[in-house]
Amino acid sequence: MTLSLLALAALGAFHGINPAMGWLFAVARGLQERSRRALLLSLPPIAAGHLASVGVVAALVTATRSVVATRWVAIGGGALLVGFGLWRALSRRHFRWAGMRLSLPELAGWSFLMSSAHGAGLMLLPVLATAPVPAAGHDGHAVAHVGGDALAGLVAAGLHTLAMFVVAGVVAVVVYQVAGLRILRTAWFNLDRLWAGVLITAGLLTIATA
Amino acid sequence: MALWRPDPSFYASPRDAAGAPPETLAYVAAFDRSATRPDAIAVLDTDPESGSFGQVVGWTDLPYTGDELHHFGWNACSSALCPTAPHPHVERRYLIVPGLRSSRVYVLDTKDDPRAPAVTKVLQPEELATRAGYSRPHTVHCGPDGIYLSALGGAAGDGPGGIAVLDHTTFDVRGAWEADRGPQYLAYDFWWHLTQDVLVTSEWGTPSMIEDGIVPELLLGRQYGHALHFWDLRRRRHVQRVDLGDQYQMPLELRPAHDPTRQYGFVGVVVSVADLSASVWVWHRSGDEWAVTKVIDIPAEPADPALLPPALQPFGAVPPLVTDIDLSVDDRWLYVSCWGTGELKRYDVSDPFHPVEAGSVHLGGIVRRTPHPSFPDERLAGGPQMVEVSRDGRRVYVTNSLYGAWDDQFYPDGVGAWQALLHSSGDGLTLDDRYFPHGDDFRGLRVHQTRLQGGDASSDSYCFP
């Protein structure tokens, strides 16, 4: 399980470092208000939205695993991942959100939609689907475990989000205080394409090891 | 294909954009008034080190006739860095070029041969009409979530005009932008305060009010547009109409502050029917409301009626006719075109409520006909009209045609065709002797708007201060 937890945290860091996942929005709000406080206050709602998006997938997968054979969850999930990854790679549509003046709850909503549209939760699927079943799932008792397993899924999502939150926060503060936004011009690789590649690879691995 | 790194012509803030390298090419919309030959985009060499500096070095002829190219814009710009939906790996490579008279919209690809952009897509008028309900497309802005295109006319009748949204990858018309237009009916220009979710629109007239020239009865009856509209950019709803007073006919070009923390901007008014003066106003917040304040007044100049076109003879004066304004990216200089008197004025607008005139250059004019210093014997028609300022704020390009039917009214013996380059610095505003494409250089076409390679002062919006 340690390896899985590490993988979940690493994926969290990957999400956190992506400007599109929220830290850039936090920096924009900080700059607009000329206040680091505005930046810092933006981070929890962004993380909460991300947690909600990832948590839905994590809870669903772990709960499903309790009642369906693990192998089929893995294969089905893997195929879903490959498909979603291909769509991300080939689709030229961008996530759209027209507003900049958001309340904190709206910011969490934005983050939820942004994470969901990019398949952030799906990216955790290989880890969630192939990790050892947390509790012994005796026949006939499986349903009783569903609640507990879903909770385990949420814990996984929480760990992932914590990593995302810390990395996004550090990057946002460093860009705001030290580096400046010029860094975007050189350092902002096309993470969307990398993102699609990660989704496809993760899906194929999940199927292969199922 | 998406890029691996952000497009190098995108800048997060206006401060960064002001440090952009100088443009080496300029694109100019050129149209055939007789509508018998195709309109074209002319490509000008703006690199002072080049042997062809100031010359037309390329043409893209369009496949139809009668379009009347007017304003155009880039498919993508610095707003792609905006944090709500960032996608900076798109490319600034397509020019979106509307035909104001035909309602066709062309998509031109500048990437493979920047000196001869290729027509890659033509949107026919029916697509704009059926999908968005509009005609007579006018202003193009690269928005964070699509390409916004204003239109003067409705699909069937005269109005209302409004804004259509185009998909920023397929260029298909997605639909009308407005969810609720309130009392807005007349359309012309639009721009926004992106970080404030505010959109502003101005008013000219419907197609029947403009296409056969200015209609004196409508002008004296104060029927042309005289209000600004403020919108909720996010919810696409009309918020407030601010009337300038009906003697102030035709508030046209909108130039919001580039600094995204500020909420003000300038609008030029073509003419006051009270005294033929022109004016510039600043819009700003006043409590929870929007307000406009007149900050520049430019009086008409008395003239011998014998020297005036018939439309102006009863007045014995030349109106300045402020038909375009442009604001430098650092929000310091406002350039004001006086197309009637033939003058480009520069104002220091560091304090937007108290502009200070800081430079003026005469070229052409209804009566003056000031020649360019490099061709002192050639009396010029038209005047500085569309103004475009380079991102670094040092170079200012002007072209001389306003709009086919209106050119003919104010310059009945021919408006000609010319573009001039001015250098702007703390010391003043001076014409470049080496840069003056004119006359046959433009193959008999009239020249309207200029766009600079990599962006200019009226193409990009920024989400970071």
Side-chain angles (χ1 to χ4, degrees):
Chain A
M1 196 61 186
T2 322
L3 205 61
S4 304
L5 291 179
L6 269 177
L8 287 170
L11 281 170
F14 176 53
H15 291 173
I17 209 164
N18 186 347
M21 283 291 120
W23 69 254
L24 188 62
F25 209 157
V27 170
R29 289 166 67 93
L31 288 170
Q32 188 69 23
E33 308 296 327
R34 303 195 186 287
S35 140
R36 189 175 60 189
R37 190 178 135 80
L39 180 156
L40 295 174
L41 281 177
S42 304
L43 290 167
I46 288 168
H50 190 82
L51 174 66
S53 173
V54 170
V56 167
V57 176
L60 270 177
V61 170
T62 36
T64 313
R65 259 161 36 93
S66 306
V67 288
V68 184
T70 306
R71 191 155 178 269
W72 290 112
V73 174
I75 289 174
L80 186 67
L81 261 175
V82 173
F84 195 79
L86 283 173
W87 179 72
R88 289 298 318 169
L90 300 175
S91 165
R92 297 172 73 196
R93 282 200 174 271
H94 291 287
F95 176 76
R96 278 200 300 275
W97 183 288
M100 284 279 290
R101 309 293 291 175
L102 307 187
S103 66
L104 294 179
E106 285 174 331
L107 187 59
W110 169 85
S111 175
F112 174 79
L113 291 176
M114 189 71 155
S115 303
S116 304
H118 285 84
L122 285 179
M123 210 177 273
L124 311 192
L125 224 146
V127 185
L128 299 170
T130 55
V133 180
H138 295 299
D139 286 350
H141 293 95
V143 176
H145 287 290
V146 169
D149 292 344
L151 189 65
L154 285 176
V155 169
L159 176 76
H160 166 87
T161 303
L162 184 66
M164 182 263 182
F165 176 72
V166 169
V167 170
V170 168
V171 175
V173 170
V174 167
V175 168
Y176 181 84
Q177 298 284 142
V178 191
L181 282 159
R182 276 173 199 238
I183 198 172
L184 289 176
R185 295 168 53 77
T186 48
W188 192 347
F189 283 96
N190 191 339
L191 289 172
D192 282 354
R193 289 167 83 176
L194 187 60
W195 190 278
V198 169
L199 284 168
I200 294 168
T201 311
L204 291 174
L205 273 175
T206 313
I207 294 170
T209 56
Chain B
M1 193 60 192
L3 304 170
W4 277 110
R5 298 278 190 91
D7 183 298
S9 73
F10 295 168
Y11 293 88
S13 69
R15 211 162 10 121
D16 289 349
E23 64 285 353
T24 57
L25 293 176
Y27 296 96
V28 175
F31 74 99
D32 178 42
R33 173 67 180 131
S34 70
T36 54
R37 289 187 298 149
D39 294 353
I41 293 291
V43 187
L44 278 296
D45 185 339
T46 61
D47 175 5
E49 305 301 315
S50 156
S52 51
F53 175 63
Q55 294 174 21
V56 180
V57 292
W59 285 98
T60 297
D61 286 315
L62 298 181
Y64 295 89
T65 56
D67 289 313
E68 184 146 5
L69 298 190
H70 198 68
H71 291 197
F72 60 115
W74 292 103
N75 67 309
C77 58
S78 300
S79 67
L81 288 163
C82 287
T84 48
H87 46 87
H89 306 98
V90 297
E91 292 178 87
R92 187 202 301 267
R93 66 182 276 186
Y94 299 99
L95 288 169
I96 312 300
V97 184
L100 182 55
R101 206 166 277 270
S102 68
S103 302
R104 269 186 213 100
V105 182
Y106 300 94
V107 180
L108 269 57
D109 186 352
T110 66
K111 188 167 186 179
D112 293 338
D113 184 356
R115 295 179 173 219
V119 178
T120 59
K121 181 158 185 158
V122 182
L123 297 178
Q124 294 297 345
E126 298 77 42
E127 179 166 358
L128 188 60
T130 51
R131 298 210 188 168
Y134 291 131
S135 67
R136 280 69 165 203
H138 188 274
T139 298
V140 180
H141 278 302
C142 26
D145 62 334
I147 298 164
Y148 289 55
L149 175 64
S150 74
L152 304 183
D158 231 13
I163 297 171
V165 180
L166 311 190
D167 187 279
H168 69 178
T169 51
T170 64
F171 308 116
D172 292 333
V173 179
R174 283 216 305 259
W177 172 78
E178 297 82 2
D180 171 12
R181 74 172 71 248
Q184 183 267 334
Y185 186 80
L186 302 174
Y188 181 75
D189 197 17
F190 73 99
W191 215 352
W192 41 49
H193 296 294
L194 268 188
T195 56
Q196 315 287 342
D197 297 342
V198 173
L199 183 136
V200 190
T201 63
S202 62
E203 297 183 335
W204 187 10
T206 60
S208 72
M209 296 168 76
I210 63 159
E211 288 191 333
D212 299 322
I214 200 162
V215 183
E217 301 78 53
L218 291 177
L219 183 66
L220 296 174
R222 307 182 177 206
Q223 298 295 304
Y224 287 98
H226 48 85
L228 297 185
H229 299 269
F230 295 87
W231 306 73
D232 183 330
L233 178 58
R234 191 172 151 205
R235 296 177 179 84
R236 307 184 170 204
R237 305 181 77 82
H238 188 275
V239 171
Q240 192 186 342
R241 174 181 189 274
V242 180
D243 199 330
L244 276 60
D246 66 5
Q247 73 268 38
Y248 296 106
Q249 293 280 286
M250 297 180 269
L252 297 185
E253 302 293 334
L254 302 167
R255 304 291 176 225
H258 294 89
D259 179 344
T261 64
R262 308 295 297 274
Q263 292 187 70
Y264 70 86
F266 299 93
V267 56
V269 174
V270 176
V271 67
S272 160
V273 291
D275 56 8
L276 295 191
S277 65
S279 51
V280 176
W281 302 58
V282 62
W283 75 77
H284 54 93
R285 285 281 192 191
S286 175
D288 291 338
E289 301 267 278
W290 290 98
V292 289
T293 304
K294 188 163 71 169
V295 291
I296 297 173
D297 221 346
I298 305 171
E301 297 179 357
D304 178 356
L307 301 174
L308 293 171
L312 291 174
Q313 280 168 358
F315 303 100
V318 183
L321 301 176
V322 167
T323 45
D324 192 23
I325 59 174
D326 206 16
L327 181 63
S328 61
V329 172
D330 62 6
D331 294 333
R332 174 160 184 211
W333 303 110
L334 184 73
Y335 298 87
V336 177
S337 280
C338 304
W339 187 67
T341 45
E343 185 181 10
L344 183 74
K345 287 173 172 287
R346 185 181 75 162
Y347 294 87
D348 184 336
V349 290
S350 305
D351 174 355
F353 291 96
H354 300 96
V356 179
E357 188 168 341
S360 157
V361 165
H362 281 282
L363 272 182
I366 291 170
V367 168
R368 253 198 208 92
R369 305 287 169 131
T370 311
H372 192 275
S374 52
F375 291 86
D377 299 330
E378 205 169 319
R379 299 180 79 230
L380 294 179
Q385 206 276 302
M386 289 310 290
V387 201
E388 199 47 78
V389 180
S390 64
R391 290 171 294 181
D392 62 15
R394 295 188 186 141
R395 292 165 305 287
V396 180
Y397 299 83
V398 291
T399 42
N400 78 320
S401 160
L402 170 63
Y403 179 60
W406 295 38
D407 292 343
D408 298 346
Q409 272 181 316
F410 291 101
Y411 293 90
D413 52 340
V415 76
W418 49 266
Q419 187 193 41
L421 165 63
L422 299 101
H423 296 283
S424 180
S425 70
D427 298 332
L429 194 58
T430 52
L431 279 162
D432 188 313
D433 291 342
R434 296 169 60 208
Y435 191 105
F436 187 58
H438 65 291
D440 292 341
D441 296 337
F442 290 113
R443 298 178 173 175
L445 304 180
R446 295 185 191 180
V447 288
H448 194 61
Q449 193 193 28
T450 303
R451 282 270 171 233
L452 304 179
Q453 191 181 34
D456 43 55
S458 71
S459 59
D460 287 38
S461 316
Y462 308 92
C463 278
F464 305 91

